[in-house]
Every structure is written in C-alpha cells, then in structure tokens.
Amino acid sequence: MFHVSFRYIFGIPPLILVLLPVASSDCDINGKDGGAYQNVLMVSIDHLDNMINFDSNCLNNEPNFFKKHSCDDNKEASFLNRAARRLKQFLKMNISDDFKIHLSTVSQGTLTLLNCTSKGKGRKPPSLGEAQPTKNLEENRYLKEQKKQNDLCFLKILLQKIKTCWNKILRGITEH
Amino acid sequence: MTLLSTALGMLFYLLQAVSGESGYAENGDFDDAELDDYSFSCYSQLEVDGLQHLLTCTFDDSDINSTNLEFEICGALLDVDCLNFNKLQERYFLKTKKFLLIGDSKICVKLEKKNLTCRKMNIVKIVKPEAPFDVRVVYREGANDFVVTFNTSHLQKKYVKVLIHEVAYRQEKNENNWMRVNLTSTKLTLLQRKLQPNAMYEIKVRSIPYANYFEGFWSEWSPSFHFRTPETNGTGETDPVLLTISILSFFSVALMVTLACVLWKKRIKPVVWPSLPDHKKTLEQLCKKPKKNLNVSFNPESFLDCQIHKVDGIQARDEAEGFLQDPLPPELEESEKQRLRGGMQGPSWPSEQAGLTPKIFRGESPFRCLAGNASVCDAPALPSSRSPNGREGGKARPLVYQDLLLGPGTINSSLPPPFPFQPGILTLNPVAQGQPILTSLGSSQEEAYVTMSSFYQNQ
C-alpha cells in the first residue's frame, strides 16, 4: 500500500503541473474597459484599412493562417497574440512611414494589452514569401506586385479579424 | 559572560550600521535627499505635426544647474526601447512618432549615463491641448444676445478629439472678476440682459482633455477678444416713436368711441337708420307754436270753429259776372283750385272789381276765428273769387292771399292782419249755410294768396 500512495502523491501532481499550461491561457488581457482599444488601436486599424482600400482589390481566398487560427471562444487572446505577431512581418514591406507607425501601433499595442507570456519564443515566424528568381525582370516585377497584392489582401483580412476579435472580447466583458 | 557581551555589542553595531544606510525609499526609487532638487514635470502634446507628438519636461527648480543633465524615456515606445530628449535652454523636449500611447513609460534624469531620478508616467495622462484661437463675438440685435465662437486644432485630430472648453469673460474695469462657462462645443451664447450695457468686455478660452482615455492639463489661454455691449438694454425698452404713436392711437380710439356713444341717438342713428317722415309731425314741427294753449292740428274737426270759405276761382268769376248780370250767383266751378295755384293778383283786380256790387258781409270775416285757431284759420286755402263784372275771363282771378309767413316774432302776435276786405265782396258759393264764401275783394286791396309753401315758411 505504501508504494501505491507514493505513486499518487509524487506522480500525479507533477503531471498536473506539466499539463496545466497547455489547458490554460497564457495571456492576461489588460485594458478591459476598452479605452485603449477604442482610442488608439481602432484609430490605427481604421487608418490602415482606408489606406489598403485605395491600393488593392482582394480576392475571396482565405489564407491558410485563418484556417489554422480563429477567434474561437476562450481562444480570443491566443488568436490576437498570433495575429499581432504576424503583423510585425508586414513591417518589412516597402510601405510608407505612417503605414509602418500604424501597423506597429496595432501590433505592439495588442501585445501590450494582452500581456501574454512568451510561448514558442524561439520559433521563427513564417515569412511572407519572397519573389523567386525568374527568367527575366518583367516576370520578377509582376510576381513582386502580385505578392504585394496578396500580402495587402492578407493584411486587410487580418486587420478585420483583429477588430472583430477585440469587439468580441469587449462585448463579452461588458455582458459579464 | 564575556562572550555574551561581545555578541550583544556586535549586534548593536550591526543594527546601527543598517539603520544608518540611506538611499532606499518606500517606493523603491533611488531617491536621495540631494536628488530632490532634480524633480521635474512633463506634459505631452499629441499630433502637433501630422503623426508626430511632442513631450516636454522641465525641472521644478529653475535655479538648478542643468549642465550635463539629460532626459531619457524608456517604455511604451514603438520599435525602440528608449529615446533621448533634446535640450532647448532650460527645457527638454522630444518630438517623435514612436509613442505607443498604451502603457506607462519611465522618464529619467541622467548625468553621464547615470540615472539621477526617474518617474513613471503615462503619455496619455499628461496631455496638454493646444490653445484655442480665432475667438469671435457677434451681437445679434434681433435675439438680444452675443454669439461667441472659437476654433481649435483638435477638431481635425485623430486621438484627442473631445475637449472641455472654458470660456472666461469679464468687464474690463472689474479686474479678477471673471465669469466662467464650460462647454464641449465651440459655440456659446451670452444673453444681453446678463451683461452691463455700454460696457467693454474681455473674453478668452482654454481647453482640457475630456476625461475619457486621455487626461491632462489646461491649455494656454487663447488670445483675448474685446467687445462692447450696446447702450440700451434691449429688453424692456421700446422705441419712443412707437410708444408715442401707440398712445396717440389709443386716445384717438377712445375719443371716437366716446363721441359715437354720445352722438349716436341724435346724429348717427338718423343717418344710418333714417326714420320715415311723418308729414303731420313734420308740419307740426315746422309750424311754430306761437302761444300756449294753441292746438295745432290738421284734424278737420278742429276747424269747426273756423269759417271756411271755399273759393272756386273760375266758377266764382263766372258767378260773379253772372251775379252782376244776374242777382243769383252760379255754382262754383271745380277749377277754383287751379286758380288758387295761380299767382297773386295785382292791383288790377281791385280796379276790375270797381263795378261790382259788393255783397257786404255782415261784419263777418271768414278769417275770423276763435283765438285759439288763429294760425290755422288764417291760412285757409281760399278759392279764387270771381270778378263780378265778368271781364276777367282769362285773366288772373281775384284771389285771396294772405301772407302766412309767421316768423318767430309773429308768434305772439295776435291775429294776422285782417284780410283786406272790400265792401264789394261778392258771395259766390252758397254751398253751406254758415259758411260764408269769400268772393271778390275790393279793388284797392292787395290780394292774398295762400300756398303750401307758406306752411314750410312758417317757423
């Protein structure tokens, strides 16, 4: 009997401790009154959305990112965390300074409000894709433009998703 | 015992050493008594130039030697960890787009890369708006008020859009007696009755963030605007010309109403609603009442006392002629009335009557009536008498005319002058007994002719 209780005492609790982070959220949402989102993040998201509307015509192809990650219940913070990190990649694009400022505001502001513990820190974020060397410059230029269009479309959809997820979080907070 | 005392001594020494150490404050900041002089204050201005924000810090002690002192901000920045301030005279400022506007930042005073003092600040909680400008005051005469308008650059900004504005105004001679009004819009209405008339006023505006997410300090005052209130206080006073006209109109209307009431019966009603004339009454009114106890009436019964002599002019002449030729007079003709309408006979008549044989009235006068019936009896419609000699066939007949024009002076007169009877009067109409009929007159007597006009002439 003693070896059986010894197993339960010293075996199960560590197992629980190991499995607990998997089940629990690693983000603590700050600014739950919605002031930071409405007065800062939403300003930048709307500004970016207006700028993208001028430049691109998006197709209704949903990128793979959204098939893997979505703003499901109890996963809003996780989705926003991933979405905010993905936004940082767009800073490498050839975009204006104001565009970058607003993009950084949304990304970093979201991460600041979420206050998530870093998870998978060492994981390299997937790249947006680079133009492959082709036979001639014209094709390369065309592919670059096409890539840019695709990236902007993805960005537009991503911003909409972020906005929707934030509204969901704040609505849920006000209802409770 | 020795060991014990040694241990206690060491213990006390350690306690003293620990308590004497300085440099730790309750909040964990590295504050020192000497570092209190480096206290500073900061304020932020957002979107001063596009997306660029401005952060300004100054020492509270203006006498401090700020040489080699620097300011640094860390945290809540975009894509960077820390930023250094720029120095301009005694002020330190930082103009950048890299403020995250979410979360706290730490601002430190550094001396050669050593932090002297730090303070945790939130950029969005130390916002100082830009001062309003373009303050205008317009007087509306119809509404008797002043419309105050001003402008602010925050209307076009994205972040700090909602502000509370404070409008302060005072009469220039009353220093430090400012009236203050808070509003969120850029338009204010001041009632004229709340201001002194014919006075000079000064007005200015400042702003502060509306405490929603952004907080901070009052902005600088806008440039003052001066205006003068009109002389008369609009409410309660009316135009003197208008007042005079209203008073005159009122009195005119009152006078008209009074006159209408007074003159209604005598003047206005007969014109507006004339009554049908009553001939008898009219004649009675026209005839003066000469005396008392005069019974003026056209009732034939009232003439019973009078001797009425009907004279038929034509028949009378014929009969008169016949009488002269024939003692018995003929009947009077019906045309005597026409004769009566004829004119007065002149003196020819008496000459024509010269050959008449007068029928003498036995002292009777057809016009002699009772005293009470004098006026009536004196104005009979006498038929014309015929010429006894008959030579006046077509000529004017002898008529009796008596002037019945009784003026006011004749009221008291007794009887009118007696009819100028002549001895040669001829009785022409023996119609009724007791009715002496006047026939012809003497040749030398003037003729009396009674007409209806004489009634109108009686007063």
Short mmCIF file of all heavy atoms in Angstrom, two decimals, chain B residues 37-38 57-71 87-92 109-112 116:
data_model
loop_
_atom_site.label_atom_id
_atom_site.label_comp_id
_atom_site.label_asym_id
_atom_site.label_seq_id
_atom_site.Cartn_x
_atom_site.Cartn_y
_atom_site.Cartn_z
N ASP B 37 16.20 67.85 -5.60
CA ASP B 37 16.29 69.07 -6.40
C ASP B 37 16.08 68.77 -7.86
O ASP B 37 15.86 69.70 -8.64
CB ASP B 37 17.67 69.71 -6.21
CG ASP B 37 17.86 70.19 -4.80
OD1 ASP B 37 16.85 70.46 -4.13
OD2 ASP B 37 19.03 70.29 -4.38
N TYR B 38 16.17 67.56 -8.27
CA TYR B 38 16.01 67.22 -9.67
C TYR B 38 14.58 66.83 -10.03
O TYR B 38 14.35 66.18 -11.04
CB TYR B 38 16.95 66.08 -10.06
CG TYR B 38 18.40 66.44 -9.95
CD1 TYR B 38 19.19 65.91 -8.92
CD2 TYR B 38 18.99 67.31 -10.85
CE1 TYR B 38 20.51 66.24 -8.81
CE2 TYR B 38 20.32 67.66 -10.76
CZ TYR B 38 21.08 67.13 -9.73
OH TYR B 38 22.41 67.47 -9.61
N CYS B 57 9.65 68.37 -20.90
CA CYS B 57 9.92 68.23 -19.47
C CYS B 57 10.77 69.40 -19.00
O CYS B 57 11.66 69.87 -19.72
CB CYS B 57 10.67 66.93 -19.19
SG CYS B 57 9.73 65.43 -19.57
N THR B 58 10.51 69.85 -17.79
CA THR B 58 11.29 70.93 -17.17
C THR B 58 11.49 70.62 -15.69
O THR B 58 10.65 69.94 -15.06
CB THR B 58 10.58 72.28 -17.31
OG1 THR B 58 9.25 72.15 -16.78
CG2 THR B 58 10.52 72.75 -18.74
N PHE B 59 12.55 71.13 -15.16
CA PHE B 59 12.80 70.98 -13.73
C PHE B 59 11.89 71.92 -12.95
O PHE B 59 11.63 73.04 -13.37
CB PHE B 59 14.26 71.26 -13.40
CG PHE B 59 15.20 70.19 -13.90
CD1 PHE B 59 16.01 70.43 -15.01
CD2 PHE B 59 15.28 68.97 -13.26
CE1 PHE B 59 16.88 69.45 -15.46
CE2 PHE B 59 16.14 67.98 -13.72
CZ PHE B 59 16.94 68.21 -14.82
N ASP B 60 11.48 71.46 -11.83
CA ASP B 60 10.65 72.30 -10.99
C ASP B 60 11.45 73.44 -10.39
O ASP B 60 10.93 74.54 -10.19
CB ASP B 60 10.03 71.45 -9.87
CG ASP B 60 9.07 70.42 -10.43
OD1 ASP B 60 8.58 70.62 -11.57
OD2 ASP B 60 8.82 69.40 -9.76
N ASP B 61 12.69 73.18 -10.14
CA ASP B 61 13.57 74.22 -9.59
C ASP B 61 14.28 74.89 -10.76
O ASP B 61 15.13 74.28 -11.44
CB ASP B 61 14.57 73.61 -8.62
CG ASP B 61 15.40 74.67 -7.92
OD1 ASP B 61 15.10 75.89 -8.10
OD2 ASP B 61 16.34 74.31 -7.18
N SER B 62 13.93 76.13 -11.00
CA SER B 62 14.51 76.81 -12.16
C SER B 62 15.97 77.19 -11.95
O SER B 62 16.68 77.50 -12.92
CB SER B 62 13.70 78.07 -12.48
OG SER B 62 13.68 78.93 -11.36
N ASP B 63 16.44 77.15 -10.71
CA ASP B 63 17.82 77.56 -10.44
C ASP B 63 18.81 76.41 -10.57
O ASP B 63 20.01 76.57 -10.32
CB ASP B 63 17.92 78.14 -9.02
CG ASP B 63 17.09 79.40 -8.88
OD1 ASP B 63 16.94 80.10 -9.91
OD2 ASP B 63 16.59 79.67 -7.77
N ILE B 64 18.30 75.27 -10.90
CA ILE B 64 19.17 74.11 -10.94
C ILE B 64 20.16 74.24 -12.10
O ILE B 64 19.84 74.81 -13.16
CB ILE B 64 18.33 72.82 -11.06
CG1 ILE B 64 19.14 71.60 -10.68
CG2 ILE B 64 17.79 72.67 -12.46
CD1 ILE B 64 18.30 70.36 -10.53
N ASN B 65 21.30 73.71 -11.90
CA ASN B 65 22.31 73.72 -12.93
C ASN B 65 22.10 72.50 -13.82
O ASN B 65 22.40 71.36 -13.47
CB ASN B 65 23.70 73.68 -12.30
CG ASN B 65 24.80 73.80 -13.33
OD1 ASN B 65 24.53 74.10 -14.50
ND2 ASN B 65 26.03 73.58 -12.92
N SER B 66 21.52 72.75 -14.95
CA SER B 66 21.14 71.65 -15.83
C SER B 66 22.24 71.28 -16.81
O SER B 66 22.01 70.52 -17.77
CB SER B 66 19.88 72.02 -16.60
OG SER B 66 20.11 73.17 -17.39
N THR B 67 23.41 71.80 -16.59
CA THR B 67 24.50 71.44 -17.47
C THR B 67 24.80 69.96 -17.30
O THR B 67 24.85 69.44 -16.18
CB THR B 67 25.76 72.25 -17.11
OG1 THR B 67 25.40 73.63 -17.05
CG2 THR B 67 26.84 72.06 -18.15
N ASN B 68 25.00 69.28 -18.43
CA ASN B 68 25.32 67.84 -18.46
C ASN B 68 24.16 66.97 -17.98
O ASN B 68 24.34 65.76 -17.79
CB ASN B 68 26.57 67.52 -17.61
CG ASN B 68 27.80 68.24 -18.14
OD1 ASN B 68 27.95 68.44 -19.34
ND2 ASN B 68 28.68 68.63 -17.24
N LEU B 69 23.06 67.52 -17.77
CA LEU B 69 21.89 66.72 -17.39
C LEU B 69 21.10 66.37 -18.64
O LEU B 69 20.94 67.21 -19.53
CB LEU B 69 20.99 67.45 -16.41
CG LEU B 69 21.56 67.70 -15.01
CD1 LEU B 69 20.58 68.48 -14.16
CD2 LEU B 69 21.93 66.39 -14.33
N GLU B 70 20.64 65.15 -18.66
CA GLU B 70 19.87 64.69 -19.82
C GLU B 70 18.61 63.99 -19.35
O GLU B 70 18.53 63.49 -18.22
CB GLU B 70 20.71 63.72 -20.66
CG GLU B 70 21.92 64.36 -21.32
CD GLU B 70 22.76 63.35 -22.08
OE1 GLU B 70 22.48 62.13 -21.98
OE2 GLU B 70 23.69 63.77 -22.79
N PHE B 71 17.68 63.94 -20.27
CA PHE B 71 16.42 63.23 -20.02
C PHE B 71 16.33 62.06 -20.98
O PHE B 71 16.73 62.14 -22.15
CB PHE B 71 15.22 64.16 -20.23
CG PHE B 71 14.87 64.98 -19.04
CD1 PHE B 71 15.56 66.15 -18.76
CD2 PHE B 71 13.85 64.58 -18.19
CE1 PHE B 71 15.21 66.90 -17.64
CE2 PHE B 71 13.51 65.33 -17.08
CZ PHE B 71 14.20 66.49 -16.80
N LYS B 87 17.53 69.27 -25.79
CA LYS B 87 17.55 70.35 -24.83
C LYS B 87 17.48 71.68 -25.55
O LYS B 87 18.20 71.91 -26.54
CB LYS B 87 18.82 70.28 -23.97
CG LYS B 87 18.85 71.30 -22.86
CD LYS B 87 20.10 71.14 -22.01
CE LYS B 87 20.14 72.20 -20.92
NZ LYS B 87 21.37 72.08 -20.08
N LEU B 88 16.62 72.55 -25.06
CA LEU B 88 16.50 73.90 -25.60
C LEU B 88 16.39 74.86 -24.41
O LEU B 88 15.36 74.93 -23.74
CB LEU B 88 15.27 74.03 -26.50
CG LEU B 88 15.05 75.40 -27.14
CD1 LEU B 88 16.20 75.73 -28.09
CD2 LEU B 88 13.73 75.44 -27.91
N GLN B 89 17.50 75.53 -24.15
CA GLN B 89 17.62 76.39 -22.98
C GLN B 89 17.39 75.57 -21.72
O GLN B 89 18.17 74.68 -21.43
CB GLN B 89 16.68 77.59 -23.08
CG GLN B 89 17.01 78.52 -24.25
CD GLN B 89 16.03 79.67 -24.37
OE1 GLN B 89 15.04 79.73 -23.67
NE2 GLN B 89 16.34 80.58 -25.26
N GLU B 90 16.36 75.82 -20.98
CA GLU B 90 16.11 75.08 -19.76
C GLU B 90 15.04 74.01 -19.94
O GLU B 90 14.60 73.41 -18.96
CB GLU B 90 15.69 76.02 -18.63
CG GLU B 90 16.75 77.05 -18.27
CD GLU B 90 18.05 76.42 -17.80
OE1 GLU B 90 18.00 75.38 -17.12
OE2 GLU B 90 19.13 76.95 -18.12
N ARG B 91 14.61 73.80 -21.13
CA ARG B 91 13.54 72.87 -21.40
C ARG B 91 14.07 71.68 -22.18
O ARG B 91 14.93 71.83 -23.06
CB ARG B 91 12.41 73.53 -22.18
CG ARG B 91 11.77 74.70 -21.44
CD ARG B 91 10.76 75.39 -22.32
NE ARG B 91 9.64 74.52 -22.65
CZ ARG B 91 8.67 74.86 -23.48
NH1 ARG B 91 8.69 76.02 -24.09
NH2 ARG B 91 7.70 74.01 -23.72
N TYR B 92 13.53 70.52 -21.89
CA TYR B 92 13.87 69.30 -22.60
C TYR B 92 12.64 68.81 -23.34
O TYR B 92 11.55 68.68 -22.74
CB TYR B 92 14.35 68.21 -21.61
CG TYR B 92 15.63 68.57 -20.92
CD1 TYR B 92 15.62 69.36 -19.77
CD2 TYR B 92 16.86 68.11 -21.39
CE1 TYR B 92 16.80 69.70 -19.12
CE2 TYR B 92 18.04 68.43 -20.75
CZ TYR B 92 18.00 69.23 -19.62
OH TYR B 92 19.17 69.55 -18.99
N VAL B 109 16.22 61.34 -15.32
CA VAL B 109 17.24 62.38 -15.44
C VAL B 109 18.59 61.70 -15.29
O VAL B 109 18.83 61.00 -14.30
CB VAL B 109 17.05 63.47 -14.37
CG1 VAL B 109 18.15 64.53 -14.50
CG2 VAL B 109 15.68 64.10 -14.47
N LYS B 110 19.40 61.93 -16.28
CA LYS B 110 20.67 61.22 -16.31
C LYS B 110 21.82 62.21 -16.27
O LYS B 110 21.77 63.30 -16.87
CB LYS B 110 20.77 60.36 -17.56
CG LYS B 110 19.68 59.32 -17.70
CD LYS B 110 19.84 58.48 -18.94
CE LYS B 110 20.97 57.49 -18.76
NZ LYS B 110 21.03 56.49 -19.87
N LEU B 111 22.80 61.82 -15.57
CA LEU B 111 24.05 62.58 -15.53
C LEU B 111 25.16 61.61 -15.91
O LEU B 111 25.48 60.71 -15.13
CB LEU B 111 24.28 63.18 -14.14
CG LEU B 111 25.59 63.95 -13.95
CD1 LEU B 111 25.65 65.15 -14.88
CD2 LEU B 111 25.76 64.39 -12.51
N GLU B 112 25.62 61.82 -17.12
CA GLU B 112 26.70 60.97 -17.64
C GLU B 112 26.31 59.50 -17.52
O GLU B 112 27.00 58.68 -16.92
CB GLU B 112 28.01 61.24 -16.90
CG GLU B 112 28.53 62.64 -17.12
CD GLU B 112 29.79 62.91 -16.33
OE1 GLU B 112 30.23 61.99 -15.58
OE2 GLU B 112 30.34 64.01 -16.46
N LEU B 116 19.81 59.84 -12.27
CA LEU B 116 19.69 60.61 -11.03
C LEU B 116 18.31 60.45 -10.42
O LEU B 116 18.16 60.25 -9.22
CB LEU B 116 19.98 62.08 -11.29
CG LEU B 116 21.40 62.41 -11.79
CD1 LEU B 116 21.55 63.91 -12.05
CD2 LEU B 116 22.47 61.91 -10.82
#
